[in-house]
């Protein structure tokens, strides 16, 4: 029975996830956005030391910070993190507009991580409005990358959802189910009924993405109650964009869930103050959790809560 069913007074510990770099922000938007494998490994270690139980990783080309699915770069990052900290490592299968489902899931098939993201449906995933926030582009790919999202549909069809499920089941990678809007909950119940997605499940509501459900407390509660009706029991994390990151995460912690922070979703620590590291956001989330009387899960406690296979069963 998950925390959400038991209620906070009797439930377990809060899993803090740090999303280190993502592919939403481009390097020109913050000098603190980690790009190279070395920077990502150092960031993961700092976040682990700060109390994060999980780090979520996107690979970027070391030369110019462009998102990549290059498996050797992923191998360098993931093995470098594993060598220095016990955090759970959860790479993305989100990829970018130009990547096929096969390219996106390759990191799971080859590196067999304990967990990876699993995007639960198709929707417009628009980043182009941030163009006016960038004063000067350091790299020639950044502007066209952001502009291209005006015509981008983040495709996660039932066909690709089932391919991703099969691959994750084969290598015992736990899918972190990214839900951007309410209809995606029925996508998940359908692939559970068809036997592709295995229970117990780990949901992450992603709030405030342009093309997905707006970030608000009533939408968080709406998604939670609908998920209870449609999916039954689950563990739940929340990730929200920009200024909604902390308010949404804190509400979810209070209702028995977990919280994601990190520069992938929000470049700021406070209003007008760039975060120098995702670890600063981890520390802030843990300060708030502790003030609310909540306990923080260690990486091994997170493994137990989520039923992960353990770091000795990965291929990196
Ligand atoms: N990019 C975030 C909005 C993924 O990487 O597959 C959600 C996410 C999904 O992190
Ligand atoms: Zn991501």
């Amino acid at each position: 029975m998950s925390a959400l069913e038991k209620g906070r007074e009797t439930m377990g510990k809060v899993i803090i996830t740090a999303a280190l770099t993502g592919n939403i922000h481009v390097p020109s938007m913050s000098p603190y956005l980690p790009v190279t494998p070395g920077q990502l490994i150092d960031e993961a270690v700092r976040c682990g030391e700060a109390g994060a139980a999980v780090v979520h990783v996107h690979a970027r080309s070391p030369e110019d910070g462009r998102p990549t699915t290059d498996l050797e770069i992923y191998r360098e990052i993931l093995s470098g993190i594993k060598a220095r900290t016990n955090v759970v490592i959860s790479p993305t299968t989100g990829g970018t507009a130009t990547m096929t489902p096969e390219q996106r899931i390759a990191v799971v098939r080859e590196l067999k991580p304990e967990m990876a993201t699993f995007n639960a449906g198709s929707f417009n995933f628009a980043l182009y409005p941030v163009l006016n926030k960038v004063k000067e582009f350091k790299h020639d790919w950044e502007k066209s990358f952001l502009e291209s999202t005006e015509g981008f549909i983040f495709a996660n069809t039932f066909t690709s959802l089932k391919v991703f499920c099969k691959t994750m089941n084969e290598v015992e990678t736990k899918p972190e189910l990214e839900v951007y809007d309410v209809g995606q909950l029925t996508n998940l119940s359908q692939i559970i009924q068809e036997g592709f997605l295995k229970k117990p499940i780990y949901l992450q509501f992603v709030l405030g993405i342009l093309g997905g459900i707006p970030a608000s407390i009533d939408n968080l509660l709406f998604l939670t109650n609908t998920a209870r009706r449609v999916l039954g029991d689950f563990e739940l994390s929340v990730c929200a964009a920009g200024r909604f990151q902390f308010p949404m995460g804190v509400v979810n912690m209070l209702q028995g869930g977990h919280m994601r922070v990190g520069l992938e979703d929000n470049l700021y620590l406070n209003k007008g103050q760039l975060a120098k590291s995702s670890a600063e956001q981890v520390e802030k989330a843990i300060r708030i959790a502790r003030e609310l009387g909540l306990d923080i899960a260690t990486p091994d406690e997170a493994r137990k809560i989520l039923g992960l296979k353990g770091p000795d069963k990965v291929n990196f």
Side-chain angles (χ1 to χ4, degrees):
M1 191 183 191
S2 77
L4 285 168
E5 297 306 303
K6 289 181 281 188
R8 176 54 70 189
E9 57 286 347
T10 59
M11 68 145 309
K13 301 190 171 187
V14 177
I15 297 169
I16 301 290
T17 296
L20 304 180
T21 190
N23 61 16
I24 295 177
H25 297 122
V26 295
S28 299
M29 296 175 75
S30 168
Y32 306 110
L33 194 71
V35 165
T36 67
Q39 289 167 343
L40 284 160
I41 294 164
D42 289 346
E43 264 290 85
V45 171
R46 277 193 289 272
C47 289
E49 286 166 352
V54 180
V55 292
H56 167 60
V57 177
H58 289 242
R60 289 178 181 267
S61 158
E63 289 73 37
D64 64 4
R66 184 194 288 260
T68 179
T69 53
D70 182 310
L71 287 177
E72 286 325 301
I73 296 178
Y74 267 108
R75 185 179 297 282
E76 180 182 354
I77 298 167
L78 271 52
S79 53
I81 294 172
K82 182 169 179 261
R84 291 178 50 194
T85 172
N86 182 39
V87 295
V88 175
I89 305 165
S90 174
T92 183
T93 63
T96 64
T98 54
M99 295 175 191
T100 64
E102 292 67 29
Q103 285 172 316
R104 289 168 49 190
I105 197 66
V107 65
V108 170
R109 185 179 305 109
E110 299 304 321
L111 301 186
K112 304 175 173 46
E114 290 187 83
M115 187 157 69
T117 62
F118 179 103
N119 292 280
S122 304
F123 62 106
N124 294 342
F125 194 140
L127 307 173
Y128 70 89
V130 304
L131 277 162
N132 59 30
K133 292 184 184 169
V134 187
K135 294 180 184 52
E136 186 192 347
F137 289 103
K138 286 194 286 190
H139 306 290
D140 60 5
W141 62 269
E142 292 176 315
K143 190 165 182 285
S144 54
F145 174 84
L146 293 173
E147 285 168 340
S148 72
T149 65
E150 187 163 356
F152 176 47
I153 293 176
F154 188 18
N156 296 286
T157 63
F158 279 101
T159 303
S160 71
L161 295 180
K162 292 176 184 178
V163 167
F164 279 35
C165 279
K166 277 187 205 149
T167 306
M168 291 188 177
N169 293 339
E170 280 161 16
V171 298
E172 296 179 282
T173 293
K174 178 90 174 182
E176 180 189 84
L177 304 165
E178 315 299 329
V179 173
Y180 299 78
D181 210 339
V182 64
Q184 295 176 6
L185 294 171
T186 38
N187 295 353
L188 295 177
S189 67
Q190 181 63 33
I191 58 175
I192 289 171
Q193 281 167 40
E194 293 184 37
F196 289 92
L197 179 60
K198 310 291 180 205
K199 284 198 163 187
I201 59 174
Y202 179 37
L203 297 177
Q204 177 155 263
F205 295 155
V206 183
L207 307 176
I209 294 293
L210 181 55
I213 197 166
S216 67
I217 294 176
D218 55 345
N219 278 345
L220 172 51
L221 299 180
F222 164 59
L223 283 177
T224 306
N225 292 324
T226 305
R228 281 192 178 125
R229 271 200 311 279
V230 167
L231 296 166
D233 194 14
F234 47 84
E235 287 293 335
L236 174 64
S237 181
V238 157
C239 141
R243 60 194 169 89
F244 299 105
Q245 181 182 54
F246 275 85
M248 295 296 104
V250 170
V251 169
N252 195 48
M253 287 198 288
L254 284 170
Q255 72 163 359
H258 310 292
M259 179 173 179
R260 169 164 136 168
V261 293
L263 300 191
E264 171 164 351
D265 307 318
N266 175 24
L267 293 173
Y268 292 83
L269 183 61
N270 297 301
K271 193 171 166 60
Q273 179 193 356
L274 283 174
K276 291 188 174 56
S277 161
S278 295
E280 289 185 342
Q281 293 175 348
V282 171
E283 287 162 353
K284 178 173 174 179
I286 291 176
R287 278 198 304 274
I288 296 169
R290 292 232 162 93
E291 285 297 317
L292 294 169
L294 305 176
D295 289 332
I296 303 300
T298 65
D300 286 340
E301 287 169 333
R303 289 183 171 98
K304 193 165 179 306
I305 294 167
L306 299 176
L308 304 186
K309 65 181 177 180
D312 53 345
K313 290 197 176 168
V314 301
N315 185 29
F316 55 87

